[in-house]
Amino acid sequence: MAINIRGRNFLTLLDFSPAEIRYLLDLSKNFKDLKRAGTPHRYLEGKNIVLLFEKTSTRTRCSFEVAGMDLGLGVTYLDPGSSQMGKKESIADTAHVLGQIYDGIEYRGFSQKVVETLAENAGIPVWNGLTDEVHPTQMLADLLTMEEKKGRLKGLHFTYFGDARNNMGNSLMIACAKMGIHFTACAPRELFPAPALVETCKKIAAENGGTIRLTEDITEGASGADVLYTDIWVSMGEPDSVWSERIRLLKPYQVNAKVMALAKSDAIFMHCLPSFHDTNTTIGKEIADKFGITEMEVSDEVFSGPQSVVFEEAGNRMHTIKAVIYATLH
Ligand code: CP
Ligand code: NVA
């Protein structure tokens, strides 16, 4: 049956079937080819989208803007301080207003409830550009990158190190379950994903030939993996006061050369970015001064090494976001 997701919201991969995700990945590949060939693809000329960011961003914002412009769309960016949303106007009222003016809304912020409320009231597609709970557009870029590098998705062994209950841990578990990838979260027990989501993902994984495993053991987690993935230890919106506890919990889970050596010899290293792999950032420097660590979730050696695909992964954000915009708006 032909896949059609016109008019749909893109709030979490839980709402999409493996066939629909497959369709978005294939569409992303087509758009990547068009971009590389320099072939114009202004298929959505005359439409307009608005990007609402309540948290900072480099990749997601730039990807939505460039993808939108490549498709011929008009694009408005609203930064965390420059709209009435939430302060003088409710989320629902904002959605009604934007729905009168635009053809699609991207939202990055805190609670998933906000993006759901926008979607319930806007009458136009709403795309989740990251919430505290999930980061679904990142998932498409990650799946595309894995497929490009490994030649397949089904049956791959994927291990996520770090805060496994944050937006990345949750989304990666969902994405792997949908695509039949064997998913392992390697983390201290305190940072395991919520049991209800684990149960949901176990059911989805079973339908698609995948498995879900949680372990505190680094050797067990890394051994035989095709993909090692990590994320920053403290996410946007979390208070600075959690750093010390998070460092204590996650320091043993750093992806370094020793951990990479446990994985398959042709394993790849992935990270959604931004990353604290050196002290060339304000926060990286502050943490080094305060806690005496110069590399956090990944060693600089692994981040910059031959197995790392992080920058191609970041580049794939644009092609995959373009696919989501096109598929829901054309
Ligand atoms: N990976 C990601 O979402 O990056 P930004 O925060 O820069 O958008
Ligand atoms: N977990 C990170 C992901 C950034 C893309 C955060 O929410 O800050």
Side-chain angles (χ1 to χ4, degrees):
M1 207 176 70
I3 303 288
N4 180 351
I5 63 164
R6 276 189 206 114
R8 292 263 299 272
N9 299 304
F10 190 77
L11 306 186
T12 162
L13 279 199
L14 284 172
D15 296 340
F16 289 82
S17 69
E20 288 167 341
I21 297 169
R22 176 77 265 152
Y23 162 73
L24 286 168
L25 294 175
D26 290 343
L27 199 54
S28 307
K29 285 183 199 170
N30 289 341
F31 277 125
K32 190 166 178 174
D33 289 343
L34 290 178
K35 182 81 177 175
R36 286 199 165 157
T39 310
H41 43 279
R42 300 174 64 83
Y43 304 147
L44 298 179
E45 226 150 32
K47 292 186 191 272
N48 295 281
I49 62 172
V50 60
L51 316 180
L52 301 174
F53 279 80
E54 295 200 306
K55 289 176 177 169
T56 51
S57 168
T58 298
R59 279 145 289 272
T60 309
R61 176 190 174 176
C62 296
S63 296
F64 267 98
E65 290 212 18
V66 172
M69 289 186 279
D70 281 355
L71 289 168
L73 291 161
V75 182
T76 305
Y77 169 74
L78 291 177
D79 71 32
S82 70
S83 82
Q84 314 281 23
M85 188 172 72
K87 297 176 285 289
K88 285 169 71 180
E89 193 157 40
S90 70
I91 308 300
D93 288 357
T94 305
H96 284 295
V97 171
L98 295 176
Q100 297 291 316
I101 300 172
Y102 290 97
D103 299 285
I105 302 172
E106 182 276 355
Y107 173 80
R108 164 173 288 198
F110 298 88
S111 160
Q112 185 75 5
K113 192 81 205 98
V114 173
V115 82
E116 285 168 3
T117 304
L118 281 173
E120 278 156 23
N121 293 283
I124 55 174
V126 173
W127 309 296
N128 181 356
L130 179 148
T131 58
D132 291 343
E133 283 90 338
V134 283
H135 193 5
T137 62
Q138 177 76 46
M139 293 309 104
L140 294 179
D142 293 347
L143 291 170
L144 179 62
T145 309
M146 281 188 253
E147 192 162 70
E148 285 174 344
K149 296 292 168 192
K150 294 277 134 211
R152 68 188 208 284
L153 292 176
K154 220 176 177 62
L156 286 179
H157 288 264
F158 177 103
T159 303
Y160 174 81
F161 288 84
D163 181 356
R165 13 128 272 178
N166 76 5
N167 41 23
M168 290 304 303
N170 291 340
S171 312
L172 287 165
M173 182 165 65
I174 297 166
C176 288
K178 289 276 178 182
M179 302 316 277
I181 298 169
H182 300 292
F183 174 87
T184 299
C186 189
R189 192 160 293 275
E190 294 91 324
L191 301 179
F192 278 179
L197 184 62
V198 174
E199 282 319 304
T200 301
C201 287
K202 278 188 176 168
K203 286 195 194 96
I204 298 170
E207 286 163 16
N208 298 308
T211 51
I212 305 289
R213 175 174 68 163
L214 310 180
T215 180
E216 292 191 291
D217 187 288
I218 290 151
T219 306
E220 190 188 339
S223 296
D226 296 290
V227 183
L228 297 188
Y229 200 116
T230 190
D231 181 21
I232 50 170
W233 290 344
V234 175
S235 287
M236 288 183 277
E238 292 197 284
D240 284 348
S241 56
V242 303
W243 270 110
S244 122
E245 168 78 343
R246 214 51 74 67
I247 289 170
R248 184 183 70 74
L249 286 172
L250 287 174
K251 214 167 148 196
Y253 294 88
Q254 181 192 67
V255 179
N256 50 37
K258 232 169 102 192
V259 175
M260 280 309 287
L262 293 166
K264 285 194 183 139
S265 58
D266 62 351
I268 54 171
F269 170 73
M270 298 179 70
H271 192 310
C272 55
L273 306 182
S275 163
F276 295 121
H277 57 95
D278 58 25
T279 53
N280 296 330
T281 60
T282 315
I283 293 174
K285 176 91 183 47
E286 273 169 22
I287 297 296
D289 292 344
K290 201 161 165 200
F291 298 98
I293 51 167
T294 56
E295 302 166 322
M296 289 191 246
E297 73 277 5
V298 55
S299 68
D300 194 47
E301 184 185 8
V302 168
F303 185 90
S304 313
Q307 289 165 284
S308 173
V309 299
V310 296
F311 295 121
E312 284 171 80
E313 179 186 359
N316 279 337
R317 296 295 310 285
M318 201 281 285
H319 308 295
T320 45
I321 281 173
K322 194 181 282 177
V324 173
I325 297 174
Y326 175 78
T328 52
L329 287 197
H330 79 288

